[in-house]
DNA sequence: GACACATTTCACGTATTTTTAAAATTAATG
DNA sequence: CATTAATTTTAAAAATACGTGAAATGTGTC
């Protein structure tokens, strides 16, 4: 039913997900909704991707949790319909923010408490270890802060920053 | 032999790796070398992490490939010794560049060829699909370019950019 | 409030990935 | 050039993650 190019896009997106440690069906399902553009219900999705109802249900829920798809309804139809966010920047920012919250922030917190724990150790070795730990921590905190700012800049950030950093060299003639 | 805090750091780093789809022993081994700071040989590493020689060997090779540890030697000792890069920015930039090359660039290439393939389809549906595909592609290409610039800025990038973007608001008093 | 349909949960089997242990290869020393 | 030590490869075992289908739980309609 879906033309070749679209199937290939879905596969491609699935490969990408697999590479990133995200279940293949997660990114595939999202790719399907993204490329189709309009709302689809669970059965249509199951058929297109040939996945089970259970899998579809769990994956849809996770995508909803991540905030990159939405649930809608049609009149006189009890089925749930799903649509993907079409703004690529929003998509990216949502996923990035979620990852940041789930991974970077807990990491920083654990490093911080570890650093405190090492305070007691006054041996030269202990001090050296704490220093290394702290430069790691410092980096992560800085990176975290920068990504906050970056993500709150909105969709034009990429253009703006490219110009800022590259001192305008790389723009088109 | 290793104090508690260090063990915890290794575990923490291992957890992080697992989250990112990288084998746990990969990031653990790197964490060990990073926190210890000095050169270690395979046997010391095996003992500390209680992993097999085979595992240690394969993991060390991969870390060498990634360019985040180095091989050294001691006089009158045939064993190989390994040290981790201590500069956190270099560490980050190396890993990021490798990921970029291995993931972002092939992705962009595949999207590009897909977009061409869809050119033949002149139905309104086909056109809509190609448009979505192309906004995705455009984003990825832009992002790719920006990260190139970012990664070539060196260790002070984080500070500099924070000030640039945040218009100096978030610096210390 | 009971029926029909839709969704979610969960225990299970399957597949993939990671680790191990042992065999093979490579290199170094006397 | 043989012997010993170190490393890499390999194949099997263990661990983990993934998807499935059926049963259970919801939800709206008559």
């Amino acid at each position: 039913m879906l033309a070749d190019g679209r199937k290939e896009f879905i596969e491609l997106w699935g490969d990408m997900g697999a590479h990133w440690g995200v279940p293949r069906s997660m990114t595939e399902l999202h790719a399907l909704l993204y490329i189709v553009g309009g709302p689809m219900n669970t059965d249509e999705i199951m058929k297109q991707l040939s996945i089970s109802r259970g899998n579809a249900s769990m994956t849809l829920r996770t995508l909803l949790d991540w905030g990159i798809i939405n649930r809608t309804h049609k009149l006189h139809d009890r089925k749930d319909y799903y649509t993907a966010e079409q703004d690529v920047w929003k998509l990216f920012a949502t996923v990035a923010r979620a990852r940041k919250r789930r991974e970077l922030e807990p990491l920083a917190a654990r490093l911080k408490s570890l650093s405190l724990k090492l305070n007691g150790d006054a041996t030269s070795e202990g001090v050296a270890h704490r220093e290394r730990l702290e430069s790691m921590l410092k980096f992560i905190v800085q990176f975290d802060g920068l990504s906050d700012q970056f993500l709150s800049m909105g969709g034009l950030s990429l253009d703006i920053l490219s110009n800022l950093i590259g001192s305008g060299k790389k723009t088109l003639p």
Side-chain angles (χ1 to χ4, degrees), chain A:
Chain A
M1 192 192 185
L2 226 51
D4 279 358
R6 272 123 276 184
K7 275 204 215 117
E8 213 172 320
F9 173 67
I10 292 169
E11 268 175 45
L12 177 161
W13 218 236
D15 288 357
M16 187 202 63
H19 241 276
W20 275 72
V22 178
R24 165 175 242 89
S25 53
M26 187 86 74
T27 40
E28 279 189 357
L29 175 22
H30 176 264
L32 173 64
L33 288 175
Y34 175 78
I35 200 67
V36 165
M40 294 180 79
N41 65 40
T42 310
D43 293 273
E44 290 165 350
I45 293 170
M46 287 166 57
K47 208 175 82 196
Q48 287 291 340
L49 300 178
S50 30
I51 58 176
S52 71
R53 183 170 303 281
N55 190 359
S57 169
M58 287 173 81
T59 304
L60 284 166
R61 156 183 277 289
T62 312
L63 289 173
L64 283 169
D65 286 349
W66 286 9
I68 57 177
I69 67 172
N70 297 105
R71 207 194 321 245
T72 58
H73 286 96
K74 288 190 177 172
L75 286 176
H76 302 295
D77 190 342
R78 297 220 245 98
K79 286 194 182 69
D80 286 348
Y81 282 75
Y82 302 90
T83 3
E85 171 61 58
Q86 291 290 319
D87 180 329
V88 185
W89 169 263
K90 272 193 198 157
L91 198 67
F92 167 77
T94 306
V95 172
R97 260 192 277 261
R99 276 192 92 100
K100 199 176 94 63
R101 238 196 333 275
R102 278 199 308 265
E103 290 161 27
L104 225 56
E105 286 169 13
L107 188 67
R110 285 176 74 185
L111 274 175
K112 219 167 274 176
S113 89
L114 249 179
S115 167
L116 291 176
K117 205 173 285 182
L118 282 183
N119 269 336
D121 187 343
T123 63
S124 74
E125 206 195 23
V127 171
H129 288 182
R130 191 171 65 250
E131 257 164 30
R132 286 196 268 280
L133 214 121
E134 263 161 16
S135 50
M136 193 104 247
L137 176 58
K138 191 179 152 221
F139 177 82
I140 288 173
V141 168
Q142 275 192 136
F143 187 81
D144 188 61
L146 184 59
S147 35
D148 264 340
Q149 295 179 309
F150 177 60
L151 290 174
S152 61
M153 281 179 77
L156 291 169
S157 330
L158 287 180
D159 286 319
I160 298 172
L161 275 184
S162 288
N163 287 338
L164 258 174
I165 299 179
S167 43
K169 271 177 299 188
K170 292 212 171 179
T171 42
L172 293 171

